[in-house]
Amino acid sequence: MNPGGEVQFTDEIYREVILDHYRSPRHSGEMADPDVFEAGINPLCGDELMLFLKFKGVAIAEIAFKGKGCSISQASASMMTEAVQDLDVFRAEALAREFKDMMLEGRPAESLSAELEDAKSLEGVKRYPVRVKCAVLAWNTLLEALKKRGKI
Ligand code: ZN
């Protein structure tokens, strides 16, 4: 057994998940007629995000983002939109808080909900404190958008 090697192997899988979202972002693009538009920036790194949402009752019927910046910020936005599409806003809020707890409060990735399977791969970013803001940008922008709409 080589525990060091095992960790490296896990990291490699995580890196692949992050790169896959960065190269093939889900829900990427602008929305013509959103119910809510919210912009987020992370000046530390220069990441920018525009988030578009359409609701059906309390459900997130459609979500899309357009952004530029580092791979962590853009991959995280892709993961976020994929996780919350079709969910009700309360579930989406709970997931955003779970993700932020992992990045900012040391909550273990294993304890996160199933919808955050891909997003768990960003846990390793915690080792680079400057980049944590890149990872949480999309989730903070989502929370702002839901608050603006009076949904949460
Ligand atoms: Zn960044």
Side-chain angles (χ1 to χ4, degrees):
M1 281 299 289
N2 175 0
E6 213 170 84
V7 169
Q8 226 170 356
F9 182 58
T10 305
D11 277 354
E12 186 55 39
I13 290 176
Y14 283 172
R15 189 169 19 251
E16 285 305 315
V17 173
I18 293 166
L19 282 177
D20 179 55
H21 275 273
Y22 178 58
R23 290 178 183 144
S24 315
R26 280 53 146 187
H27 304 281
S28 171
E30 285 184 53
M31 197 184 289
D33 187 25
D35 293 326
V36 171
F37 165 78
E38 183 70 30
I41 57 162
N42 168 25
L44 279 180
C45 180
D47 306 314
E48 296 176 18
L49 189 70
M50 293 188 285
L51 190 61
F52 308 88
L53 290 133
K54 247 182 204 164
F55 300 102
K56 197 174 269 180
V58 292
I60 296 173
E62 269 185 71
I63 185 164
F65 79 98
K66 201 175 171 196
K68 54 182 181 181
C70 70
S71 56
I72 299 294
S73 68
Q74 303 306 304
S76 185
S78 172
M79 292 166 180
M80 182 278 286
T81 55
E82 188 171 59
V84 305
Q85 163 97 47
D86 296 327
L87 296 183
D88 74 58
V89 294
F90 308 107
R91 183 72 187 142
E93 181 196 12
L95 293 178
R97 299 209 182 281
E98 278 190 29
F99 180 80
K100 289 182 68 178
D101 282 349
M102 175 180 78
M103 296 307 301
L104 301 166
E105 310 290 342
R107 178 172 173 163
E110 308 85 72
S111 73
L112 265 54
S113 298
E115 295 98 319
L116 298 173
E117 190 55 40
D118 282 5
K120 287 178 192 173
S121 63
L122 290 168
E123 189 190 29
V125 174
K126 281 194 307 195
R127 291 196 299 270
Y128 312 92
V130 186
R131 309 303 301 283
V132 167
K133 282 191 191 305
C134 307
V136 299
L137 173 63
W139 305 81
N140 278 334
T141 308
L142 172 69
L143 290 172
E144 285 305 313
L146 296 180
K147 222 181 285 171
K148 191 190 237 176
R149 182 64 178 178
K151 293 285 188 186
I152 58 173

PDB file of all heavy atoms in Angstrom, residues 42 44-47 69-74 130-131 133-135 137, ligand 1:
ATOM      1  N   ASN A  42     -14.534  38.256  -9.347  1.00  0.00           N
ATOM      2  CA  ASN A  42     -13.507  37.957  -8.359  1.00  0.00           C
ATOM      3  C   ASN A  42     -12.269  38.748  -8.753  1.00  0.00           C
ATOM      4  O   ASN A  42     -11.448  38.285  -9.546  1.00  0.00           O
ATOM      5  CB  ASN A  42     -13.219  36.452  -8.346  1.00  0.00           C
ATOM      6  CG  ASN A  42     -11.971  36.133  -7.543  1.00  0.00           C
ATOM      7  OD1 ASN A  42     -11.575  36.881  -6.658  1.00  0.00           O
ATOM      8  ND2 ASN A  42     -11.348  35.014  -7.858  1.00  0.00           N
ATOM      9  N   LEU A  44      -9.583  39.428  -7.349  1.00  0.00           N
ATOM     10  CA  LEU A  44      -8.271  38.864  -6.992  1.00  0.00           C
ATOM     11  C   LEU A  44      -7.628  38.133  -8.161  1.00  0.00           C
ATOM     12  O   LEU A  44      -6.418  38.117  -8.311  1.00  0.00           O
ATOM     13  CB  LEU A  44      -8.423  37.869  -5.835  1.00  0.00           C
ATOM     14  CG  LEU A  44      -8.514  38.454  -4.430  1.00  0.00           C
ATOM     15  CD1 LEU A  44      -8.670  37.325  -3.425  1.00  0.00           C
ATOM     16  CD2 LEU A  44      -7.258  39.258  -4.119  1.00  0.00           C
ATOM     17  N   CYS A  45      -8.497  37.510  -8.979  1.00  0.00           N
ATOM     18  CA  CYS A  45      -7.984  36.656 -10.055  1.00  0.00           C
ATOM     19  C   CYS A  45      -8.421  37.179 -11.416  1.00  0.00           C
ATOM     20  O   CYS A  45      -7.880  36.786 -12.442  1.00  0.00           O
ATOM     21  CB  CYS A  45      -8.486  35.236  -9.833  1.00  0.00           C
ATOM     22  SG  CYS A  45      -7.993  34.012 -11.033  1.00  0.00           S
ATOM     23  N   GLY A  46      -9.423  38.086 -11.425  1.00  0.00           N
ATOM     24  CA  GLY A  46      -9.939  38.594 -12.686  1.00  0.00           C
ATOM     25  C   GLY A  46     -11.054  37.754 -13.271  1.00  0.00           C
ATOM     26  O   GLY A  46     -11.353  37.853 -14.462  1.00  0.00           O
ATOM     27  N   ASP A  47     -11.663  36.908 -12.452  1.00  0.00           N
ATOM     28  CA  ASP A  47     -12.760  36.064 -12.944  1.00  0.00           C
ATOM     29  C   ASP A  47     -14.052  36.873 -13.042  1.00  0.00           C
ATOM     30  O   ASP A  47     -14.356  37.675 -12.162  1.00  0.00           O
ATOM     31  CB  ASP A  47     -13.016  34.888 -11.986  1.00  0.00           C
ATOM     32  CG  ASP A  47     -11.760  34.093 -11.709  1.00  0.00           C
ATOM     33  OD1 ASP A  47     -11.045  33.788 -12.676  1.00  0.00           O
ATOM     34  OD2 ASP A  47     -11.497  33.801 -10.533  1.00  0.00           O
ATOM     35  N   GLY A  69     -12.257  33.807 -17.244  1.00  0.00           N
ATOM     36  CA  GLY A  69     -11.387  33.732 -16.094  1.00  0.00           C
ATOM     37  C   GLY A  69     -10.687  32.391 -16.035  1.00  0.00           C
ATOM     38  O   GLY A  69     -10.637  31.665 -17.028  1.00  0.00           O
ATOM     39  N   CYS A  70     -10.198  32.072 -14.863  1.00  0.00           N
ATOM     40  CA  CYS A  70      -9.373  30.869 -14.716  1.00  0.00           C
ATOM     41  C   CYS A  70     -10.223  29.604 -14.821  1.00  0.00           C
ATOM     42  O   CYS A  70     -11.452  29.642 -14.722  1.00  0.00           O
ATOM     43  CB  CYS A  70      -8.639  30.915 -13.377  1.00  0.00           C
ATOM     44  SG  CYS A  70      -9.721  30.715 -11.962  1.00  0.00           S
ATOM     45  N   SER A  71      -9.546  28.494 -15.006  1.00  0.00           N
ATOM     46  CA  SER A  71     -10.233  27.211 -15.180  1.00  0.00           C
ATOM     47  C   SER A  71     -11.049  26.835 -13.942  1.00  0.00           C
ATOM     48  O   SER A  71     -12.133  26.264 -14.071  1.00  0.00           O
ATOM     49  CB  SER A  71      -9.223  26.112 -15.501  1.00  0.00           C
ATOM     50  OG  SER A  71      -8.232  26.040 -14.498  1.00  0.00           O
ATOM     51  N   ILE A  72     -10.547  27.176 -12.754  1.00  0.00           N
ATOM     52  CA  ILE A  72     -11.286  26.827 -11.527  1.00  0.00           C
ATOM     53  C   ILE A  72     -12.630  27.550 -11.496  1.00  0.00           C
ATOM     54  O   ILE A  72     -13.676  26.941 -11.230  1.00  0.00           O
ATOM     55  CB  ILE A  72     -10.463  27.225 -10.270  1.00  0.00           C
ATOM     56  CG1 ILE A  72      -9.132  26.493 -10.218  1.00  0.00           C
ATOM     57  CG2 ILE A  72     -11.275  26.990  -8.994  1.00  0.00           C
ATOM     58  CD1 ILE A  72      -9.217  25.017 -10.033  1.00  0.00           C
ATOM     59  N   SER A  73     -12.625  28.852 -11.775  1.00  0.00           N
ATOM     60  CA  SER A  73     -13.867  29.622 -11.698  1.00  0.00           C
ATOM     61  C   SER A  73     -14.876  29.161 -12.748  1.00  0.00           C
ATOM     62  O   SER A  73     -16.076  29.068 -12.466  1.00  0.00           O
ATOM     63  CB  SER A  73     -13.583  31.124 -11.864  1.00  0.00           C
ATOM     64  OG  SER A  73     -13.153  31.423 -13.177  1.00  0.00           O
ATOM     65  N   GLN A  74     -14.405  28.885 -13.949  1.00  0.00           N
ATOM     66  CA  GLN A  74     -15.320  28.511 -15.032  1.00  0.00           C
ATOM     67  C   GLN A  74     -15.817  27.082 -14.870  1.00  0.00           C
ATOM     68  O   GLN A  74     -16.985  26.781 -15.130  1.00  0.00           O
ATOM     69  CB  GLN A  74     -14.641  28.717 -16.391  1.00  0.00           C
ATOM     70  CG  GLN A  74     -14.146  30.149 -16.621  1.00  0.00           C
ATOM     71  CD  GLN A  74     -15.236  31.203 -16.435  1.00  0.00           C
ATOM     72  OE1 GLN A  74     -16.279  31.150 -17.081  1.00  0.00           O
ATOM     73  NE2 GLN A  74     -15.010  32.159 -15.540  1.00  0.00           N
ATOM     74  N   VAL A 130      -5.714  31.515  -2.089  1.00  0.00           N
ATOM     75  CA  VAL A 130      -6.027  32.607  -3.017  1.00  0.00           C
ATOM     76  C   VAL A 130      -7.060  32.164  -4.053  1.00  0.00           C
ATOM     77  O   VAL A 130      -7.818  32.973  -4.578  1.00  0.00           O
ATOM     78  CB  VAL A 130      -4.747  33.080  -3.752  1.00  0.00           C
ATOM     79  CG1 VAL A 130      -5.028  34.306  -4.591  1.00  0.00           C
ATOM     80  CG2 VAL A 130      -3.646  33.370  -2.751  1.00  0.00           C
ATOM     81  N   ARG A 131      -7.089  30.850  -4.332  1.00  0.00           N
ATOM     82  CA  ARG A 131      -7.971  30.356  -5.382  1.00  0.00           C
ATOM     83  C   ARG A 131      -9.354  29.976  -4.877  1.00  0.00           C
ATOM     84  O   ARG A 131     -10.230  29.661  -5.680  1.00  0.00           O
ATOM     85  CB  ARG A 131      -7.328  29.144  -6.077  1.00  0.00           C
ATOM     86  CG  ARG A 131      -5.902  29.386  -6.540  1.00  0.00           C
ATOM     87  CD  ARG A 131      -5.797  30.577  -7.486  1.00  0.00           C
ATOM     88  NE  ARG A 131      -6.612  30.416  -8.678  1.00  0.00           N
ATOM     89  CZ  ARG A 131      -6.269  29.644  -9.707  1.00  0.00           C
ATOM     90  NH1 ARG A 131      -5.138  29.002  -9.710  1.00  0.00           N
ATOM     91  NH2 ARG A 131      -7.059  29.553 -10.750  1.00  0.00           N
ATOM     92  N   LYS A 133     -11.613  31.812  -3.687  1.00  0.00           N
ATOM     93  CA  LYS A 133     -12.596  32.765  -4.217  1.00  0.00           C
ATOM     94  C   LYS A 133     -12.971  32.438  -5.663  1.00  0.00           C
ATOM     95  O   LYS A 133     -14.081  32.743  -6.101  1.00  0.00           O
ATOM     96  CB  LYS A 133     -12.069  34.193  -4.119  1.00  0.00           C
ATOM     97  CG  LYS A 133     -12.177  34.782  -2.713  1.00  0.00           C
ATOM     98  CD  LYS A 133     -11.896  36.274  -2.748  1.00  0.00           C
ATOM     99  CE  LYS A 133     -11.713  36.895  -1.387  1.00  0.00           C
ATOM    100  NZ  LYS A 133     -12.769  36.705  -0.432  1.00  0.00           N
ATOM    101  N   CYS A 134     -12.054  31.853  -6.402  1.00  0.00           N
ATOM    102  CA  CYS A 134     -12.367  31.412  -7.769  1.00  0.00           C
ATOM    103  C   CYS A 134     -13.434  30.317  -7.720  1.00  0.00           C
ATOM    104  O   CYS A 134     -14.388  30.317  -8.497  1.00  0.00           O
ATOM    105  CB  CYS A 134     -11.125  30.847  -8.459  1.00  0.00           C
ATOM    106  SG  CYS A 134      -9.694  31.944  -8.451  1.00  0.00           S
ATOM    107  N   ALA A 135     -13.259  29.391  -6.792  1.00  0.00           N
ATOM    108  CA  ALA A 135     -14.160  28.234  -6.707  1.00  0.00           C
ATOM    109  C   ALA A 135     -15.553  28.627  -6.207  1.00  0.00           C
ATOM    110  O   ALA A 135     -16.548  28.044  -6.633  1.00  0.00           O
ATOM    111  CB  ALA A 135     -13.553  27.165  -5.802  1.00  0.00           C
ATOM    112  N   LEU A 137     -17.037  31.647  -6.476  1.00  0.00           N
ATOM    113  CA  LEU A 137     -17.660  32.758  -7.209  1.00  0.00           C
ATOM    114  C   LEU A 137     -19.050  32.395  -7.758  1.00  0.00           C
ATOM    115  O   LEU A 137     -20.024  33.115  -7.541  1.00  0.00           O
ATOM    116  CB  LEU A 137     -16.743  33.219  -8.358  1.00  0.00           C
ATOM    117  CG  LEU A 137     -17.334  34.262  -9.311  1.00  0.00           C
ATOM    118  CD1 LEU A 137     -17.635  35.568  -8.590  1.00  0.00           C
ATOM    119  CD2 LEU A 137     -16.390  34.517 -10.497  1.00  0.00           C
TER     120      LEU A 137
HETATM  121 ZN    ZN B   1      -9.735  32.493 -10.742  1.00  0.00          ZN
END
